[in-house]
Amino acid sequence: MAKAYVVLSFHETLLHQSDVELLTGPHWLNDTIISFYFEYLEKVKFSDSNDILFVSPEVTQCIKMVSSEEIKIFLEPLNIETKKFVFFALNDNSSPDTAGGSHWSLLVYSKVENCFFHLDSSSGSNHNVAWDFASHLMTYLSRADLINFVDKECVQQSNGYDCGIHVICNTERLAEFARSHREINSCDMMMRINPSAKRKEILTIIQNLASSR
């Protein structure tokens, strides 16, 4: 029963004990943890950056499943037309009805560079998923011109469960770079990632937010 209780309500995200426990060991991160951290980046860390958008995994999954004409239903309320950098946490789940999947990767749309950048910590695993999603988005984001697609080199995970942590770390680093440099292509993404340290950091953030409410 203990796993059912709510640890934190943060804007649109409700974190249960079972979600938070995924951060404590060698566990694959679910949609809820990544959604929470994307919201934390938007509402706290990058609250002063009006041209950066972090799209939740749930919204990303919905966009994957709808027709090109329906994409605007999900993106227009997010004011995407005013954003220069848009971050999507991509999952290889192909089911429209269930959460899950087995691998996360990051797709970033840079309006200023007219390019999709894909970062996959298990290189190649999500290439087709990212390519299909970018092609799907292109019909909405660009009425006439083509948008480039680049598989950007990044640090590779050393196990089968840290892909979500890599997405979070890559998102944060690229957003910081975008805020200061106004582009992301030249950002070096081969800097070391410490998944255990990042898990502990996220746990601390959750605990601090929970204790302040």
Side-chain angles (χ1 to χ4, degrees):
M1 292 296 292
K3 293 191 176 185
Y5 75 82
V6 174
V7 174
L8 175 67
S9 175
F10 185 76
H11 297 279
E12 301 299 316
T13 303
L14 205 61
L15 283 175
H16 290 84
Q17 182 64 19
S18 55
D19 301 315
V20 177
E21 285 178 357
L22 296 176
L23 291 163
T24 63
H27 305 301
W28 189 85
L29 299 189
N30 62 9
D31 299 50
T32 310
I33 290 292
I34 294 176
S35 287
F36 159 73
Y37 205 74
F38 269 34
E39 280 210 279
Y40 173 77
L41 292 177
E42 177 189 341
K43 306 293 187 184
V44 180
K45 190 155 189 181
F46 294 93
S47 59
D48 61 339
S49 302
N50 295 326
D51 56 2
I52 297 177
L53 176 63
F54 304 96
V55 182
S56 75
E58 293 89 348
V59 171
T60 296
Q61 189 67 13
C62 288
I63 292 170
K64 280 168 64 177
M65 300 301 167
V66 301
S67 68
S68 300
E69 294 74 27
E70 293 174 304
I71 293 176
K72 64 182 179 181
I73 296 170
F74 299 95
L75 291 182
E76 283 183 0
L78 303 178
N79 297 317
I80 193 171
E81 68 279 355
T82 68
K83 311 300 181 180
K84 292 183 171 64
F85 304 96
V86 186
F87 292 78
F88 299 93
L90 271 182
N91 195 294
D92 61 355
N93 179 20
S94 59
S95 169
D97 303 316
T98 59
S102 61
H103 186 58
W104 293 105
S105 63
L106 175 65
L107 186 73
V108 189
Y109 169 59
S110 172
K111 187 176 184 179
V112 295
E113 295 161 283
N114 191 43
C115 189
F116 289 106
F117 295 94
H118 181 227
L119 293 90
D120 191 341
S121 59
S122 181
S123 188
S125 295
N126 264 11
H127 174 81
N128 290 342
V129 174
W131 174 261
D132 290 345
F133 186 72
S135 301
H136 189 45
L137 277 176
M138 198 181 299
T139 59
Y140 172 78
L141 294 171
S142 178
R143 300 293 182 258
D145 299 330
L146 293 176
I147 302 172
N148 296 317
F149 182 98
V150 171
D151 278 308
K152 188 168 175 60
E153 189 179 26
C154 64
V155 172
Q156 298 295 286
Q157 63 194 80
S158 60
N159 52 53
Y161 52 81
D162 270 334
C163 51
I165 287 290
H166 278 255
V167 164
I168 283 172
C169 292
N170 289 338
T171 297
E172 197 160 5
R173 175 161 172 75
L174 278 177
E176 286 172 348
F177 193 88
R179 179 164 61 182
S180 56
H181 294 81
R182 317 311 305 158
E183 55 94 15
I184 61 177
N185 183 54
S186 62
C187 183
D188 177 12
M189 296 305 294
M190 294 306 292
M191 292 183 67
R192 182 175 175 269
I193 287 174
N194 186 333
S196 296
K198 192 63 179 179
R199 285 174 181 267
K200 290 176 183 175
E201 179 190 329
I202 299 170
L203 273 170
T204 300
I205 290 168
I206 292 170
Q207 289 161 359
N208 290 341
L209 287 170
S211 63
S212 68
R213 277 160 163 72

